[in-house]
Amino acid sequence: MASQLLTNSFLELLEKSELLPPAQFNAVVRKFKLQEMPSGFEAAKTLVLNGVLSRFQADRLMQGRYRGFFIGNFKVLEILGVGGMGWVYTAEDLQSGRIVALKVLSEHHQHIVDMQARMKLEVRAGQKLDHPNIVHAYKAEHTGDVDFLVTEYVEGINLQEWSDLAGPTPFPQACDFICQAAAGLQHAHSNGLVHRDIKPSNLIVDKSGAVKILDFGLALTRNDEDEFSLAMIFGHDCLGTDDFIPPEQARESYAVDSRADLYSLGCTLYFLLSGRVPFPLKTTPEKLRAHLSKTPQPIGELVPSLPEPVIAAVEKLMAKDPGERFQSAAEVKAALEPFAERKLIPFDFPAILVERCKDAQRRVSALKQRRRKIAEASSSSSMARRMMLDSSNQHLQAGVDTGVPGETRPRRSAVSLVNPLDSYTASKISSNDMKAKSRPQQGTQPFPTSKPQSTTSATFAPAYLTSQAGGRPIKLYQPYLVVGRDEGCDISIDGAGVSGRHCEFRCDGQQWTVTDLGSKNGIQINGQSVQSHAIQSGDELTFGKLQRFRFMTTAQQPQPARITWPAIVASLAVGAAAATAWWWFLAR
């Protein structure tokens, strides 16, 4: 009965959310026999696997949230990533049916004029540019308290992500990437725009190998008014990214021309070919000084098989003096085109989205930790504490969240400070599971798992983990828990081989499931490596290959063993032998 109530509750939330029109809602319920599902989780999983709901939508509904799926005239589908201004979502334009990307300013950034200026500048640039190698910015909108930018949606990965996945790029493919970027830059330059932030993460590639330039939010234009406004807002400090910034831009960000983008393009080519930035130094000042006066290790030494003309092109692009570089992006394209080869780009896009969320989670956690430390350090002055908290919080992004409590309809412009990652905890997923129409294996998760909004009222079966090394049993005290070494984990296991956020436990009614959260050493059940799997009472779980636990239900909770002197002596002997062996191993 409890599972049936959970199913009914999920369907009620789905209906209230207005994600599906009433006729479609009724048809979907009948088609997939959702009312007969054993739980709300199974109903959500079915809808995700059949493309009715996105993972993000299903995850929020499973938390009991039915508002916040709409921003203006756009229906939010997924979290696409996080940028310098806020969160980026994929969304459906309810008027045209077109899928777009929404860049939503965080609440903090909505009150910072430089971020508003960047958004307006990106829109102006987007309205001037129309090229297959540039992501088109359609318009900027303001609804309620929300500022957001509507751009072209590209199902792709940026070249930083590609390099992280594939390592150094073979020169024919790297030359093709740069040729396409150069074609886009030539179009921008001919329209009076200098990008000023060309780097791998601002070049996105789709599965066909087509490259597009992202983010014209720092673009320099021929419009004196725009240039003056940006100078007043940002000051005359250097703008750009320290690993890819040209020398003249490091000196004066507003005294540059199109050749500055070519230097950054050369640094990007250097990175793609070698897998490392030109100046792998620790601090920004060191990197800026290196761009101004030092020569990077020759690319020919790092990539011995590189053709001489490609080596010469890299060196010419990265010349300190703009006059010694290529003088146009068209020249760059002409120089590299004979060596360029287009290839298909294999990647699992759903998995890429999960990795982006995991990376954003780490960044947000680090910023929160920094905020706590600043608050503690400045506790003697409440005014100073408020100022530093505001400063440290500037990159904590906003996310789509619920509307006004008690509303029965979605609040179409609702965006609040609640972090989307609170409802979108990253975990590994399989694109095959996402595409499959049949029911996946027991225990797999079709969408990233998340902590329920309320753990006190949820139905679940308490259970215990008992360490094979002894000690008190660890109680699984709520239906969702994260296990790892990080301070924020629900269960802390500070043992060898355990990652910061190692795995999660989730209980759907009476069934527990354990899921790896991208840990370094993985998890095993009864000696078999698993990604996500249902667990039964008595199963042996191993975290990080060394930490072994027995999973037990409440009814089988083990009683503390009676301690005897022979047992103590035997235990001490074993411990001494282990310590001796360990020190001998270290001394070898």
Side-chain angles (χ1 to χ4, degrees):
M1 177 62 73
S3 293
Q4 183 63 32
L5 288 173
L6 286 173
T7 301
N8 290 339
S9 297
F10 172 80
L11 294 178
E12 182 181 350
L13 291 168
L14 177 59
E15 186 175 20
K16 286 181 177 180
S17 72
E18 295 189 0
L19 286 169
L20 304 177
Q24 185 183 0
F25 171 80
N26 294 327
V28 164
V29 171
R30 289 194 302 270
K31 178 179 179 180
F32 298 110
K33 300 180 180 179
L34 297 182
Q35 290 179 325
E36 300 176 18
M37 294 284 179
S39 68
F41 179 79
E42 289 298 325
K45 180 190 295 186
T46 298
L47 295 179
V48 170
L49 291 175
N50 285 278
V52 178
L53 294 179
S54 70
R55 294 165 299 143
F56 173 71
Q57 293 166 347
D59 190 69
R60 290 182 64 81
L61 290 169
M62 284 297 295
Q63 293 185 26
R65 300 182 179 187
Y66 65 91
R67 300 186 183 97
F69 291 109
F70 298 88
I71 302 177
N73 290 316
F74 298 91
K75 178 168 69 175
V76 175
L77 303 176
E78 293 281 5
I79 294 176
L80 189 57
V82 60
M85 293 189 290
W87 289 93
V88 186
Y89 303 92
T90 56
E92 178 187 355
D93 186 332
L94 297 176
Q95 293 179 337
S96 66
R98 179 174 58 185
I99 302 301
V100 298
L102 301 184
K103 296 175 70 171
V104 181
L105 276 186
S106 68
E107 184 184 59
H108 179 80
H109 287 146
Q110 289 171 26
H111 305 294
I112 300 179
V113 289
D114 59 353
M115 290 302 172
Q116 294 175 345
R118 283 189 61 174
M119 180 173 281
K120 292 176 182 177
L121 183 58
E122 188 165 355
V123 172
R124 291 197 196 106
Q127 291 171 345
K128 291 182 179 181
L129 304 178
D130 184 13
H131 193 274
N133 295 118
I134 295 176
V135 172
H136 191 72
Y138 298 122
K139 55 184 176 179
E141 289 197 10
H142 177 86
T143 177
D145 295 326
V146 183
D147 292 294
F148 61 98
L149 179 65
V150 185
T151 74
E152 176 187 0
Y153 166 64
V154 179
E155 187 173 297
I157 62 175
N158 65 58
L159 294 188
Q160 179 69 56
E161 294 170 325
W162 167 251
S163 182
D164 291 342
L165 287 172
T169 305
F171 76 83
Q173 192 173 32
C175 288
D176 179 60
F177 289 158
I178 298 303
C179 282
Q180 292 185 68
L185 283 175
Q186 181 63 36
H187 177 74
H189 295 163
S190 64
N191 281 275
L193 291 169
V194 182
H195 189 284
R196 290 196 299 183
D197 199 19
I198 293 295
K199 56 185 176 181
S201 60
N202 275 340
L203 301 176
I204 191 169
V205 60
D206 65 19
K207 290 184 178 180
S208 73
V211 172
K212 290 178 181 282
I213 303 172
L214 294 166
D215 195 356
F216 277 79
L218 288 182
L220 183 66
T221 74
R222 292 175 183 161
N223 185 325
D224 293 338
E225 182 180 345
D226 286 343
E227 181 178 345
F228 176 77
S229 298
L230 284 174
M232 293 299 292
I233 292 168
F234 288 98
H236 288 273
D237 295 332
C238 64
L239 300 176
T241 301
D242 53 12
D243 282 321
F244 304 93
I245 192 169
E248 65 271 28
Q249 191 169 320
R251 295 189 190 97
E252 171 57 77
S253 294
Y254 302 96
V256 300
D257 58 27
S258 59
R259 295 171 295 181
D261 284 343
L262 303 188
Y263 180 93
S264 299
L265 196 63
C267 293
T268 299
L269 178 55
Y270 185 104
F271 171 80
L272 292 173
L273 292 169
S274 66
R276 50 167 276 186
V277 296
F279 302 107
L281 302 170
K282 291 183 178 181
T283 68
T284 293
E286 288 177 317
K287 294 177 183 181
L288 295 180
R289 285 193 294 269
H291 282 291
L292 286 166
S293 61
K294 294 184 179 180
T295 301
Q297 183 176 354
I299 190 66
E301 294 180 4
L302 297 173
V303 191
S305 60
L306 205 57
E308 284 298 329
V310 177
I311 294 174
V314 173
E315 292 175 349
K316 189 170 182 178
L317 280 166
M318 295 181 63
K320 305 295 184 188
D321 182 354
E324 297 178 2
R325 297 176 202 152
F326 293 100
Q327 297 302 292
S328 71
E331 291 181 15
V332 178
K333 185 173 183 292
L336 294 176
E337 207 161 26
F339 306 94
E341 182 181 343
R342 182 73 54 89
K343 291 185 178 180
L344 299 179
I345 308 295
F347 59 86
D348 184 341
F349 189 64
I352 291 294
L353 292 182
V354 170
E355 290 301 316
R356 288 177 186 172
C357 286
K358 289 169 65 176
D359 178 63
Q361 177 74 73
R362 288 189 290 267
R363 290 165 58 184
V364 170
S365 297
L367 286 166
K368 285 181 178 179
Q369 234 176 11
R370 179 186 169 204
R371 182 178 61 177
R372 284 197 299 269
K373 290 179 180 179
I374 291 176
E376 292 169 0
S378 60
S379 58
S380 59
S381 169
S382 60
M383 179 62 73
R385 180 168 64 252
R386 283 196 297 272
M387 291 173 64
M388 284 189 281
L389 279 173
D390 287 342
S391 174
S392 67
N393 197 39
Q394 62 179 325
H395 294 297
L396 292 181
Q397 315 297 342
V400 178
D401 194 34
T402 58
V404 177
E407 274 191 311
T408 57
R409 292 177 55 81
R411 188 179 178 191
R412 300 278 164 129
S413 61
V415 173
S416 79
L417 267 178
V418 174
N419 190 331
L421 293 175
D422 292 341
S423 62
Y424 200 79
T425 305
S427 66
K428 294 277 189 179
I429 60 172
S430 166
S431 59
N432 293 329
D433 284 344
M434 294 299 299
K435 295 172 184 175
K437 297 299 181 182
S438 59
R439 182 187 179 96
Q441 292 183 352
Q442 184 182 19
T444 59
Q445 303 283 350
F447 47 90
T449 52
S450 64
K451 185 172 290 188
Q453 190 176 23
S454 172
T455 57
T456 56
S457 60
T459 301
F460 78 106
Y464 293 81
L465 295 176
T466 60
S467 173
Q468 303 293 71
R472 294 174 61 86
I474 300 172
K475 184 177 180 180
L476 304 182
Y477 56 89
Q478 61 186 32
Y480 173 91
L481 303 108
V482 174
V483 175
R485 302 180 68 168
D486 285 355
E487 181 183 347
C489 292
D490 302 296
I491 295 177
S492 177
I493 298 179
D494 191 15
V498 178
S499 297
R501 290 171 58 85
H502 197 95
C503 64
E504 66 178 20
F505 287 87
R506 176 187 285 275
C507 183
D508 176 31
Q510 299 298 309
Q511 179 63 65
W512 281 93
T513 299
V514 63
T515 300
D516 186 15
L517 293 180
S519 65
K520 181 178 180 180
N521 295 308
I523 54 177
Q524 295 179 336
I525 297 179
N526 300 325
Q528 298 295 317
S529 295
V530 298
Q531 175 59 48
S532 181
H533 204 280
I535 46 178
Q536 308 296 331
S537 185
D539 283 347
E540 182 183 276
L541 277 66
T542 305
F543 308 139
K545 301 181 180 179
L546 296 174
Q547 311 303 319
R548 293 186 173 87
F549 294 85
R550 184 77 63 181
F551 175 80
M552 306 290 284
T553 62
T554 306
Q556 297 167 306
Q557 179 188 354
Q559 299 297 322
R562 190 175 66 171
I563 300 176
T564 63
W565 280 109
I568 293 174
V569 172
S571 177
L572 290 174
V574 171
T580 301
W582 178 244
W583 283 109
W584 175 83
F585 174 77
L586 291 177
R588 290 180 63 187

